[in-house]
Amino acid sequence: MKTLTEEEFRAGYRKAQLIDVREPNEFDGGHILGARNIPLSQMRQRHKEIRKDQPVYLYCQNTVRSGRTAQMLKRKGYNDLYMLKGGFKGWGGKIKAKK
């Protein structure tokens, strides 16, 4: 797994599967535009929704949950894993929030 700076993350996430591993209430409060919400708490049941043949870009609020998610996905055979350095709270790009 590779930790990417915001610039590196921004350069590649549109061509990847962007997964927000925070809980739904956090996701609804604001997330990176284009992200899918698969919380770490549901990842064991839902990891098959993520394709193994495409890069996976993960983020959480800081980096703890995305790191755990990456370790779990690696054990399940995912290899192209990237994590946002500093997490969502360090993101300065476009976000979407439910009103």
Side-chain angles (χ1 to χ4, degrees), residues 52-82:
K52 289 184 180 175
D53 63 343
Q54 293 179 343
V56 180
Y57 277 52
L58 301 166
Y59 73 93
C60 61
Q61 196 63 25
N62 36 50
T63 54
V64 175
R65 287 175 283 180
S66 50
R68 282 201 198 127
T69 303
Q71 289 171 339
M72 190 182 80
L73 291 175
K74 187 107 184 109
R75 285 194 298 273
K76 302 227 181 262
Y78 293 82
N79 294 311
D80 212 356
L81 299 168
Y82 303 90

Side-chain angles (χ1 to χ4, degrees), residues 29-42:
H31 57 270
I32 298 174
L33 201 62
R36 273 176 30 220
N37 186 216
I38 305 179
L40 173 57
S41 60
Q42 298 173 18

Side-chain angles (χ1 to χ4, degrees), residues 8-62:
E8 292 168 324
F9 198 86
R10 197 185 295 249
Y13 81 90
R14 285 186 185 87
K15 297 189 273 303
Q17 302 169 88
L18 181 60
I19 312 293
D20 183 323
V21 300
R22 299 175 303 157
E23 291 303 308
N25 61 326
E26 295 173 281
F27 182 80
D28 290 346
H31 57 270
I32 298 174
L33 201 62
R36 273 176 30 220
N37 186 216
I38 305 179
L40 173 57
S41 60
Q42 298 173 18
M43 193 58 75
R44 285 197 197 303
Q45 297 80 27
R46 296 182 59 193
H47 74 272
K48 288 188 171 66
E49 295 175 30
I50 304 169
R51 293 175 53 164
K52 289 184 180 175
D53 63 343
Q54 293 179 343
V56 180
Y57 277 52
L58 301 166
Y59 73 93
C60 61
Q61 196 63 25
N62 36 50

